[in-house]
Amino acid sequence: MTTTTKPAAMNLDGRLLLPGDGGYDQARAVWNAMVDRRPRMIVRCASVTDVVTAVRTARELDLEIGVRCGGHSGVGHAVPDGGLMIDLTPLSDVAVDPTRRRAHVRGGALLGALDRASQAHGLATTAGNVSHTGVGGLTLGGGMGWLARQYGLACDNVESYQVVTASGEVVRASRDEHPDLFWGLRGGGGNFGIVTGFEFRLHDTGTRTLVAAYDFPLDRAFAALRAWRDLNAEAPRQATSTASVGRDGLTTLGFVWVGDPAAGRAYLPALRALGRPVAERVTEPSYVELQTREDSVQGHTYRRYAKGHYLRSFPDEAIEAFLLRGTGNGHGAYLPNAGLQAYGGAIDEVPDEDAAFSHRGTLFEWGTGTRWTDPGEDDARMAASRQAAATLAPHASGVYVNALSDEGAEGVRRAYPPAKLAKLTAVKDRYDPDNVFHLNQNIRPSGR
């Protein structure tokens, strides 16, 4: 077969794209312009049957499989050079049952679609902070969001998964059916199959939120950040503490509140006591607006790089490292932005053995990200991000698997403690012993 001939056996409800076809370049472009690979074929799946066909075709032709939903993987796992990309984006339906408080979400849906469909009934479930992220990628890695301190991670709210396995079988995974697979999908990433459907529990959240942000110059930021850290221990579950620092050293401290804004305003005096900010912003976006405020429309325009850590504590030395990011003064042309988001609450109350997701005792998730357009800046930009991460590494207790980029097996070992990794390997051995699904933060089957 050549790359310009459609396989005779590949009858699809969706569309097969080959190099040179209209829509091919758009489909292979993901959320990082550093990723510029050319799959041998792209299958835009319009049905679960298409996914099965694509998996079987890839195996028959010995092609690497990449799976695309939102396309937000920083290293572009969705785009296999010379392989077969399974594009789930046409499978994007969301159906909400407001009486049972359930959402049935197909595997290619984006977070914004889930939020909009649920919020039409005043309901929601934990989802990430960027609406054009894929539900699948976020949830399979765990799924942190503004509701997590109240209701747990996205994966904690999944009742069942529909999965296409490496053998092309379609199975349902829940606590009662394929419970080992259900366990592994709750935080183990895309290692065990292609999820074509999710059933989520929804919660009566209402539609209102409050966001508070206070800006401090670098010379006042250390004291304010110490006070913010201590205040976080008393934060109500509706509040998720946040902090960020830009390349100019300006530090923003605050919280995101999901629920009655009047109740959130009662928490404001404690934030105002952090110090003397140079600016204060308190807004009341709707929940849907909150979920889109960090959206970016640049798509494939920017080159991107990121690093992450989990922190079980945030001592004064870590505060200094957070602010300075490996520099002497917290300034620099290539310095990445960095941020903190609080965990705790319902996240920490799920027993550790209940799911593959690990590090539930995290206090803060730290992340750094940078974007640029000039390929000549690649090395300097990535080096600055690595340097910022290295300064906080002595205080780190692990990493969120969705925050991994190019760390490889070392990163996977940081994401899962040895006992979890051994159990994940056993799940991999059962459902994907040939490591067909390896373009991910890969858990290798034993013997490979």
Side-chain angles (χ1 to χ4, degrees), residues 191-277:
N191 276 282
F192 313 113
I194 301 174
V195 177
T196 53
F198 299 81
E199 180 186 3
F200 285 97
R201 292 191 302 276
L202 300 175
H203 306 276
D204 187 6
T205 59
T207 61
R208 304 173 68 193
T209 75
L210 181 140
V211 179
Y214 299 83
D215 296 336
F216 295 87
L218 192 59
D219 60 353
R220 300 181 207 164
F222 183 86
L225 199 48
R226 288 185 71 188
W228 172 88
R229 171 199 65 192
D230 297 341
L231 180 64
N232 175 71
E234 306 169 9
R237 292 191 177 207
Q238 297 96 320
T240 301
S241 300
T242 60
S244 64
V245 58
R247 67 182 186 184
D248 59 358
L250 187 68
T251 301
T252 301
L253 307 176
F255 66 93
V256 172
W257 181 282
V258 180
D260 181 4
R265 286 185 178 275
Y267 189 50
L268 292 177
L271 269 291
R272 292 182 176 128
L274 294 177
R276 292 185 297 113

Coordinates of all heavy atoms in Angstrom, one line a residue, residues 191-277:
N191 N -2.5 4.6 28.6 CA -1.7 3.4 28.4 C -2.5 2.1 28.1 O -1.9 1.1 27.6 CB -0.9 3.1 29.7 CG 0.4 3.9 29.7 OD1 1.4 3.5 29.1 ND2 0.4 5.0 30.4
F192 N -3.8 2.1 28.4 CA -4.5 0.8 28.4 C -5.5 0.6 27.3 O -6.2 -0.4 27.2 CB -5.1 0.6 29.8 CG -4.2 0.9 30.9 CD1 -4.4 2.0 31.7 CD2 -3.1 0.1 31.1 CE1 -3.5 2.2 32.8 CE2 -2.2 0.4 32.1 CZ -2.4 1.4 33.0
G193 N -5.8 1.7 26.5 CA -6.8 1.6 25.5 C -7.2 3.0 25.1 O -6.7 4.0 25.6
I194 N -8.1 3.1 24.2 CA -8.7 4.4 23.7 C -10.1 4.5 24.3 O -11.0 3.7 24.0 CB -8.7 4.4 22.2 CG1 -7.3 4.2 21.6 CG2 -9.3 5.7 21.7 CD1 -7.3 4.1 20.1
V195 N -10.2 5.5 25.1 CA -11.5 5.7 25.8 C -12.4 6.5 24.8 O -12.1 7.6 24.4 CB -11.4 6.5 27.1 CG1 -12.8 6.8 27.7 CG2 -10.6 5.7 28.1
T196 N -13.5 5.8 24.4 CA -14.5 6.4 23.5 C -15.7 7.0 24.2 O -16.6 7.6 23.5 CB -14.9 5.4 22.4 OG1 -15.3 4.2 23.0 CG2 -13.7 5.1 21.5
G197 N -15.8 6.8 25.5 CA -17.0 7.3 26.2 C -16.7 7.3 27.7 O -16.1 6.4 28.3
F198 N -17.2 8.4 28.3 CA -17.1 8.6 29.8 C -18.5 8.8 30.3 O -19.3 9.5 29.7 CB -16.3 9.8 30.2 CG -14.9 9.8 29.7 CD1 -14.6 10.2 28.4 CD2 -13.9 9.5 30.6 CE1 -13.2 10.2 28.0 CE2 -12.5 9.5 30.2 CZ -12.2 9.8 28.9
E199 N -18.8 8.3 31.5 CA -20.0 8.6 32.3 C -19.6 9.3 33.6 O -18.9 8.7 34.4 CB -20.8 7.4 32.6 CG -22.1 7.7 33.4 CD -22.8 6.5 33.9 OE1 -22.3 5.4 33.6 OE2 -23.9 6.6 34.5
F200 N -19.9 10.6 33.7 CA -19.5 11.4 34.8 C -20.7 11.6 35.8 O -21.8 11.8 35.3 CB -19.0 12.8 34.4 CG -17.6 12.8 33.7 CD1 -17.5 12.8 32.4 CD2 -16.5 12.9 34.5 CE1 -16.3 12.8 31.8 CE2 -15.2 12.9 33.9 CZ -15.1 12.9 32.6
R201 N -20.4 11.7 37.1 CA -21.3 12.2 38.1 C -21.2 13.7 38.0 O -20.2 14.3 37.9 CB -20.9 11.8 39.5 CG -21.1 10.3 39.7 CD -21.0 10.0 41.2 NE -19.7 10.4 41.7 CZ -18.6 9.6 41.7 NH1 -18.6 8.5 41.0 NH2 -17.4 10.1 42.2
L202 N -22.4 14.4 38.1 CA -22.5 15.8 38.1 C -22.9 16.3 39.5 O -23.5 15.5 40.3 CB -23.5 16.3 37.1 CG -23.1 16.0 35.6 CD1 -24.3 16.4 34.7 CD2 -21.8 16.6 35.2
H203 N -22.6 17.6 39.8 CA -22.9 18.1 41.1 C -23.7 19.4 41.0 O -23.5 20.2 40.0 CB -21.6 18.3 41.9 CG -20.8 17.1 42.0 ND1 -21.0 16.1 42.9 CD2 -19.7 16.7 41.2 CE1 -20.1 15.2 42.8 NE2 -19.3 15.5 41.7
D204 N -24.5 19.7 42.0 CA -25.3 20.9 42.0 C -24.4 22.1 42.4 O -24.4 22.4 43.6 CB -26.5 20.7 42.9 CG -27.5 21.9 42.8 OD1 -27.3 22.8 42.0 OD2 -28.4 21.9 43.7
T205 N -23.7 22.7 41.5 CA -22.8 23.7 41.8 C -23.3 25.1 41.6 O -22.7 26.1 42.1 CB -21.6 23.6 40.8 OG1 -22.0 23.7 39.5 CG2 -20.9 22.3 41.0
G206 N -24.5 25.3 41.0 CA -24.9 26.6 40.6 C -24.0 27.1 39.4 O -23.2 26.3 38.9
T207 N -24.2 28.4 39.1 CA -23.5 28.9 37.9 C -22.6 30.1 38.2 O -22.1 30.7 37.3 CB -24.6 29.4 36.9 OG1 -25.4 30.4 37.5 CG2 -25.4 28.2 36.4
R208 N -22.4 30.4 39.5 CA -21.7 31.6 39.9 C -20.4 31.3 40.6 O -20.2 30.3 41.3 CB -22.6 32.4 40.8 CG -23.9 32.8 40.2 CD -24.8 33.5 41.2 NE -24.4 34.8 41.5 CZ -24.8 35.5 42.6 NH1 -25.8 35.0 43.4 NH2 -24.3 36.7 42.8
T209 N -19.4 32.2 40.4 CA -18.1 32.1 41.0 C -17.6 33.5 41.4 O -18.2 34.5 41.1 CB -17.1 31.5 40.0 OG1 -16.7 32.4 39.0 CG2 -17.6 30.2 39.3
L210 N -16.5 33.5 42.1 CA -15.8 34.7 42.4 C -14.3 34.5 42.3 O -13.8 33.4 42.7 CB -16.1 35.1 43.9 CG -15.5 36.4 44.4 CD1 -16.5 37.2 45.2 CD2 -14.2 36.1 45.2
V211 N -13.6 35.4 41.7 CA -12.1 35.3 41.5 C -11.5 36.6 42.2 O -11.9 37.7 41.9 CB -11.7 35.2 40.1 CG1 -10.2 35.2 39.9 CG2 -12.4 34.0 39.4
A212 N -10.5 36.3 43.1 CA -9.8 37.4 43.7 C -8.3 37.3 43.4 O -7.7 36.3 43.5 CB -10.0 37.4 45.2
A213 N -7.7 38.5 43.0 CA -6.3 38.5 42.7 C -5.6 39.8 43.2 O -6.2 40.9 43.0 CB -6.1 38.4 41.2
Y214 N -4.5 39.6 43.8 CA -3.7 40.8 44.4 C -2.3 40.7 43.9 O -1.6 39.7 44.0 CB -3.8 40.7 45.9 CG -5.2 40.7 46.5 CD1 -5.9 39.5 46.6 CD2 -5.8 41.9 46.9 CE1 -7.2 39.6 47.1 CE2 -7.0 41.9 47.4 CZ -7.8 40.8 47.5 OH -9.1 40.8 48.0
D215 N -1.8 41.9 43.4 CA -0.5 41.9 42.8 C 0.5 42.6 43.8 O 0.2 43.6 44.4 CB -0.5 42.8 41.5 CG -1.4 42.2 40.4 OD1 -1.6 41.0 40.4 OD2 -1.8 43.0 39.5
F216 N 1.7 41.9 43.8 CA 2.7 42.4 44.7 C 4.0 42.5 43.9 O 4.4 41.6 43.2 CB 2.9 41.4 45.9 CG 1.8 41.3 46.8 CD1 0.7 40.4 46.6 CD2 1.7 42.1 47.9 CE1 -0.3 40.3 47.4 CE2 0.6 42.0 48.8 CZ -0.4 41.1 48.5
P217 N 4.8 43.6 44.1 CA 6.1 43.7 43.5 C 7.0 42.7 44.2 O 6.8 42.2 45.3 CB 6.5 45.1 43.7 CG 5.7 45.6 44.9 CD 4.4 44.8 44.9
L218 N 8.1 42.4 43.5 CA 9.0 41.4 44.1 C 9.5 41.7 45.5 O 9.7 40.7 46.3 CB 10.2 41.2 43.1 CG 11.1 39.9 43.4 CD1 10.3 38.7 43.2 CD2 12.3 39.9 42.4
D219 N 9.8 42.9 45.8 CA 10.3 43.2 47.1 C 9.3 43.1 48.2 O 9.7 43.0 49.4 CB 10.9 44.7 47.2 CG 9.9 45.7 46.8 OD1 8.7 45.4 46.5 OD2 10.2 46.9 47.0
R220 N 8.0 42.9 47.9 CA 7.0 42.6 48.9 C 6.4 41.2 48.8 O 5.6 40.8 49.6 CB 5.8 43.6 48.8 CG 6.2 45.1 48.9 CD 4.9 45.9 48.8 NE 5.2 47.2 48.3 CZ 4.3 48.1 47.8 NH1 3.0 47.7 47.8 NH2 4.7 49.3 47.4
A221 N 6.9 40.5 47.8 CA 6.2 39.2 47.4 C 6.5 38.1 48.4 O 5.7 37.3 48.7 CB 6.6 38.8 46.0
F222 N 7.8 38.1 49.0 CA 8.1 37.0 49.9 C 7.2 37.0 51.1 O 6.7 35.9 51.4 CB 9.6 37.1 50.3 CG 10.1 36.0 51.1 CD1 10.6 34.8 50.5 CD2 10.0 36.1 52.5 CE1 11.0 33.7 51.3 CE2 10.5 35.0 53.3 CZ 10.9 33.8 52.7
A223 N 7.1 38.1 51.8 CA 6.3 38.1 53.0 C 4.8 37.8 52.7 O 4.1 37.1 53.4 CB 6.4 39.5 53.6
A224 N 4.3 38.4 51.5 CA 2.9 38.1 51.2 C 2.7 36.7 50.9 O 1.7 36.1 51.2 CB 2.6 39.0 50.0
L225 N 3.7 36.0 50.2 CA 3.5 34.6 49.8 C 3.6 33.7 51.1 O 2.9 32.7 51.1 CB 4.6 34.3 48.8 CG 4.4 33.0 48.0 CD1 3.1 33.0 47.3 CD2 5.5 32.9 46.9
R226 N 4.4 34.1 52.0 CA 4.4 33.3 53.3 C 3.0 33.4 54.0 O 2.5 32.4 54.4 CB 5.4 33.9 54.3 CG 6.9 33.6 53.9 CD 7.8 34.1 55.0 NE 7.7 33.3 56.2 CZ 8.3 33.6 57.3 NH1 9.0 34.8 57.4 NH2 8.2 32.8 58.4
A227 N 2.4 34.6 54.0 CA 1.1 34.7 54.6 C 0.1 34.0 53.8 O -0.9 33.4 54.4 CB 0.8 36.2 54.8
W228 N 0.1 34.0 52.5 CA -0.8 33.3 51.7 C -0.7 31.8 51.9 O -1.7 31.1 52.0 CB -0.5 33.6 50.2 CG -1.2 32.9 49.2 CD1 -2.4 33.1 48.6 CD2 -0.7 31.6 48.5 NE1 -2.7 32.2 47.6 CE2 -1.7 31.3 47.6 CE3 0.4 30.9 48.6 CZ2 -1.5 30.1 46.8 CZ3 0.6 29.7 47.9 CH2 -0.4 29.4 46.9
R229 N 0.5 31.3 52.0 CA 0.8 29.9 52.3 C 0.1 29.5 53.6 O -0.6 28.4 53.7 CB 2.3 29.6 52.4 CG 2.6 28.2 52.9 CD 4.1 28.2 53.4 NE 4.3 29.0 54.6 CZ 5.5 29.4 55.1 NH1 6.6 28.9 54.5 NH2 5.5 30.1 56.2
D230 N 0.2 30.3 54.6 CA -0.3 29.9 56.0 C -1.9 30.0 55.9 O -2.6 29.2 56.5 CB 0.3 30.8 57.0 CG 1.8 30.6 57.2 OD1 2.3 29.6 56.8 OD2 2.4 31.6 57.7
L231 N -2.4 31.0 55.2 CA -3.8 31.2 55.1 C -4.5 30.0 54.4 O -5.6 29.6 54.7 CB -4.1 32.5 54.4 CG -5.6 32.9 54.2 CD1 -6.3 33.1 55.5 CD2 -5.7 34.1 53.3
N232 N -3.7 29.4 53.4 CA -4.3 28.3 52.6 C -4.7 27.2 53.5 O -5.7 26.5 53.2 CB -3.3 27.8 51.6 CG -3.8 26.6 50.9 OD1 -4.7 26.7 50.0 ND2 -3.2 25.5 51.2
A233 N -4.1 27.0 54.7 CA -4.4 25.9 55.6 C -5.8 26.1 56.1 O -6.4 25.1 56.6 CB -3.4 25.8 56.7
E234 N -6.4 27.3 56.1 CA -7.7 27.5 56.7 C -8.7 27.8 55.6 O -9.9 28.1 55.9 CB -7.6 28.8 57.6 CG -6.6 28.7 58.7 CD -6.3 30.0 59.4 OE1 -7.1 31.0 59.1 OE2 -5.4 30.1 60.1
A235 N -8.3 27.6 54.3 CA -9.2 28.0 53.2 C -10.5 27.1 53.2 O -10.3 25.8 53.3 CB -8.5 27.9 51.9
P236 N -11.6 27.6 53.0 CA -12.8 26.8 52.7 C -12.7 26.0 51.5 O -11.9 26.3 50.6 CB -14.0 27.8 52.6 CG -13.4 29.1 53.2 CD -12.0 29.1 52.9
R237 N -13.4 24.9 51.4 CA -13.3 24.0 50.2 C -13.7 24.7 48.9 O -13.3 24.3 47.8 CB -14.1 22.7 50.4 CG -13.5 21.9 51.5 CD -14.2 20.5 51.5 NE -13.6 19.7 52.5 CZ -13.5 18.4 52.4 NH1 -14.1 17.7 51.4 NH2 -12.9 17.7 53.3
Q238 N -14.6 25.7 49.0 CA -15.0 26.4 47.8 C -13.9 27.2 47.2 O -14.0 27.6 46.1 CB -16.2 27.3 48.1 CG -17.5 26.6 48.5 CD -17.6 26.5 50.0 OE1 -16.6 26.4 50.8 NE2 -18.8 26.8 50.5
A239 N -12.9 27.5 48.0 CA -11.8 28.3 47.6 C -10.6 27.5 47.2 O -10.1 26.6 47.9 CB -11.4 29.3 48.7
T240 N -10.0 27.7 46.0 CA -8.8 27.1 45.6 C -7.7 28.2 45.5 O -7.8 29.2 44.7 CB -8.9 26.5 44.2 OG1 -9.9 25.5 44.2 CG2 -7.6 25.8 43.8
S241 N -6.7 28.2 46.4 CA -5.7 29.2 46.5 C -4.8 29.2 45.2 O -4.5 28.1 44.7 CB -4.8 29.0 47.7 OG -5.6 29.1 48.9
T242 N -4.5 30.3 44.7 CA -3.6 30.4 43.5 C -2.5 31.4 43.7 O -2.7 32.4 44.4 CB -4.4 30.8 42.3 OG1 -5.0 32.1 42.5 CG2 -5.6 29.8 42.0
A243 N -1.4 31.2 43.0 CA -0.3 32.2 43.1 C 0.4 32.1 41.7 O 0.5 31.0 41.1 CB 0.7 31.9 44.2
S244 N 1.0 33.2 41.3 CA 1.7 33.2 40.0 C 2.8 34.2 40.1 O 2.7 35.2 40.8 CB 0.8 33.4 38.8 OG 0.2 34.7 38.8
V245 N 3.9 34.0 39.3 CA 4.9 35.0 39.2 C 5.3 35.1 37.7 O 5.5 34.1 37.0 CB 6.1 34.7 40.1 CG1 6.7 33.3 39.7 CG2 7.2 35.8 40.0
G246 N 5.4 36.4 37.2 CA 5.8 36.6 35.8 C 7.3 36.8 35.7 O 8.0 36.9 36.6
R247 N 7.7 37.0 34.4 CA 9.1 37.1 34.2 C 9.7 38.5 34.7 O 10.9 38.6 34.9 CB 9.5 36.9 32.7 CG 8.9 38.0 31.8 CD 9.3 37.6 30.4 NE 8.9 38.7 29.4 CZ 9.1 38.6 28.1 NH1 9.6 37.5 27.6 NH2 8.7 39.6 27.3
D248 N 8.8 39.4 35.0 CA 9.2 40.7 35.6 C 9.2 40.7 37.1 O 9.5 41.7 37.7 CB 8.3 41.8 35.1 CG 6.8 41.6 35.4 OD1 6.5 40.5 36.0 OD2 6.0 42.5 35.1
G249 N 8.8 39.5 37.7 CA 8.8 39.4 39.1 C 7.5 39.8 39.8 O 7.4 39.5 41.0
L250 N 6.6 40.3 39.0 CA 5.3 40.7 39.6 C 4.6 39.4 40.1 O 4.4 38.5 39.3 CB 4.5 41.5 38.7 CG 3.1 42.0 39.3 CD1 3.4 43.1 40.3 CD2 2.2 42.5 38.1
T251 N 4.2 39.4 41.3 CA 3.6 38.2 41.9 C 2.1 38.4 42.2 O 1.7 39.4 42.8 CB 4.3 37.8 43.2 OG1 5.7 37.5 42.9 CG2 3.7 36.5 43.8
T252 N 1.2 37.5 41.8 CA -0.2 37.6 42.0 C -0.7 36.5 42.9 O -0.4 35.3 42.6 CB -1.0 37.5 40.6 OG1 -0.5 38.6 39.8 CG2 -2.5 37.7 40.8
L253 N -1.4 36.9 44.0 CA -1.9 35.9 44.9 C -3.4 36.1 45.0 O -3.9 37.2 44.9 CB -1.3 36.2 46.3 CG 0.3 36.2 46.4 CD1 0.7 36.6 47.8 CD2 0.9 34.9 46.0
G254 N -4.1 35.0 45.3 CA -5.5 35.1 45.4 C -6.2 33.7 45.5 O -5.6 32.7 46.0
F255 N -7.4 33.6 45.0 CA -8.2 32.4 45.1 C -9.3 32.4 44.1 O -9.7 33.5 43.6 CB -8.7 32.1 46.5 CG -9.8 33.1 46.9 CD1 -11.2 32.8 46.7 CD2 -9.5 34.3 47.5 CE1 -12.2 33.7 47.1 CE2 -10.5 35.2 47.9 CZ -11.8 34.9 47.7
V256 N -9.7 31.2 43.7 CA -10.9 31.0 42.9 C -12.0 30.3 43.7 O -11.7 29.3 44.4 CB -10.6 30.2 41.6 CG1 -11.9 29.8 40.9 CG2 -9.6 30.9 40.7
W257 N -13.2 30.9 43.7 CA -14.3 30.4 44.6 C -15.4 30.0 43.6 O -15.9 30.7 42.8 CB -14.8 31.6 45.5 CG -15.9 31.2 46.4 CD1 -17.2 31.1 46.1 CD2 -15.8 31.0 47.8 NE1 -18.0 30.8 47.2 CE2 -17.1 30.7 48.3 CE3 -14.7 31.0 48.7 CZ2 -17.3 30.5 49.6 CZ3 -15.0 30.7 50.0 CH2 -16.3 30.4 50.5
V258 N -15.9 28.7 43.8 CA -17.0 28.2 43.0 C -18.2 28.1 44.0 O -18.1 27.2 44.9 CB -16.7 26.9 42.3 CG1 -17.9 26.5 41.5 CG2 -15.5 27.1 41.4
G259 N -19.2 28.9 43.8 CA -20.3 28.9 44.7 C -20.9 30.3 44.8 O -20.5 31.2 44.0
D260 N -21.6 30.6 45.8 CA -22.3 31.9 46.1 C -21.2 32.9 46.2 O -20.4 32.9 47.2 CB -23.1 31.8 47.3 CG -23.8 33.1 47.6 OD1 -23.7 34.1 46.8 OD2 -24.5 33.2 48.7
P261 N -21.1 33.9 45.4 CA -20.0 34.9 45.5 C -20.1 35.7 46.8 O -19.1 36.1 47.3 CB -20.3 35.9 44.3 CG -21.0 35.0 43.3 CD -21.9 34.1 44.1
A262 N -21.3 35.9 47.4 CA -21.4 36.6 48.7 C -20.6 35.8 49.8 O -19.9 36.5 50.6 CB -22.8 36.7 49.1
A263 N -20.7 34.5 49.7 CA -19.9 33.7 50.7 C -18.4 33.9 50.4 O -17.6 33.9 51.4 CB -20.3 32.3 50.7
G264 N -18.0 33.9 49.2 CA -16.6 34.1 48.8 C -16.1 35.5 49.3 O -14.9 35.6 49.7
R265 N -16.9 36.5 49.2 CA -16.5 37.8 49.6 C -16.2 37.9 51.1 O -15.4 38.7 51.6 CB -17.6 38.9 49.2 CG -17.6 39.1 47.7 CD -18.5 40.3 47.4 NE -18.5 40.5 45.9 CZ -17.6 41.3 45.3 NH1 -16.7 42.0 46.1 NH2 -17.6 41.5 44.0
A266 N -16.8 37.0 51.9 CA -16.5 37.0 53.3 C -15.1 36.5 53.6 O -14.5 36.8 54.7 CB -17.5 36.0 54.0
Y267 N -14.4 35.9 52.6 CA -13.0 35.5 52.7 C -12.0 36.5 52.2 O -10.8 36.4 52.5 CB -12.9 34.2 51.8 CG -11.6 33.4 52.0 CD1 -11.1 33.1 53.2 CD2 -10.9 33.0 50.8 CE1 -9.9 32.4 53.3 CE2 -9.7 32.3 50.9 CZ -9.2 32.0 52.2 OH -8.1 31.3 52.3
L268 N -12.5 37.6 51.6 CA -11.6 38.6 51.1 C -10.8 39.4 52.2 O -9.6 39.6 51.9 CB -12.4 39.7 50.3 CG -13.0 39.1 49.0 CD1 -13.9 40.2 48.3 CD2 -11.9 38.7 48.0
P269 N -11.4 39.7 53.3 CA -10.5 40.4 54.3 C -9.2 39.7 54.7 O -8.2 40.3 54.9 CB -11.5 40.6 55.5 CG -12.8 40.6 54.9 CD -12.8 39.6 53.8
A270 N -9.3 38.4 54.7 CA -8.1 37.6 55.0 C -7.1 37.7 53.9 O -5.8 37.8 54.2 CB -8.5 36.1 55.2
L271 N -7.5 37.8 52.6 CA -6.6 38.0 51.5 C -6.0 39.5 51.6 O -4.8 39.7 51.3 CB -7.3 37.8 50.2 CG -7.2 36.4 49.6 CD1 -5.8 36.1 49.2 CD2 -7.7 35.3 50.6
R272 N -6.8 40.4 51.9 CA -6.4 41.8 51.9 C -5.3 42.0 53.0 O -4.6 43.0 53.0 CB -7.5 42.8 52.1 CG -8.5 42.8 50.9 CD -9.6 43.8 51.1 NE -10.4 43.8 49.9 CZ -11.7 43.7 49.8 NH1 -12.4 43.4 50.9 NH2 -12.4 43.8 48.6
A273 N -5.3 41.1 54.0 CA -4.3 41.2 55.1 C -3.0 40.7 54.7 O -2.0 40.7 55.6 CB -4.9 40.6 56.3
L274 N -2.8 40.2 53.5 CA -1.5 39.6 53.1 C -0.4 40.6 53.1 O 0.8 40.2 53.2 CB -1.6 38.9 51.7 CG -2.6 37.7 51.7 CD1 -2.6 37.2 50.2 CD2 -2.1 36.6 52.6
G275 N -0.7 41.8 52.8 CA 0.3 42.9 52.6 C -0.2 44.1 51.9 O -1.5 44.3 51.9
R276 N 0.6 44.8 51.2 CA 0.2 46.0 50.5 C 0.3 45.7 49.0 O 1.4 46.0 48.4 CB 1.1 47.2 50.9 CG 0.9 47.7 52.3 CD 1.7 48.9 52.7 NE 3.1 48.7 52.6 CZ 3.9 49.3 51.7 NH1 3.4 50.1 50.7 NH2 5.2 49.0 51.7
P277 N -0.8 45.3 48.4 CA -0.7 45.0 46.9 C -0.7 46.3 46.1 O -1.1 47.4 46.6 CB -2.0 44.2 46.7 CG -2.9 44.7 47.7 CD -2.1 45.0 48.9

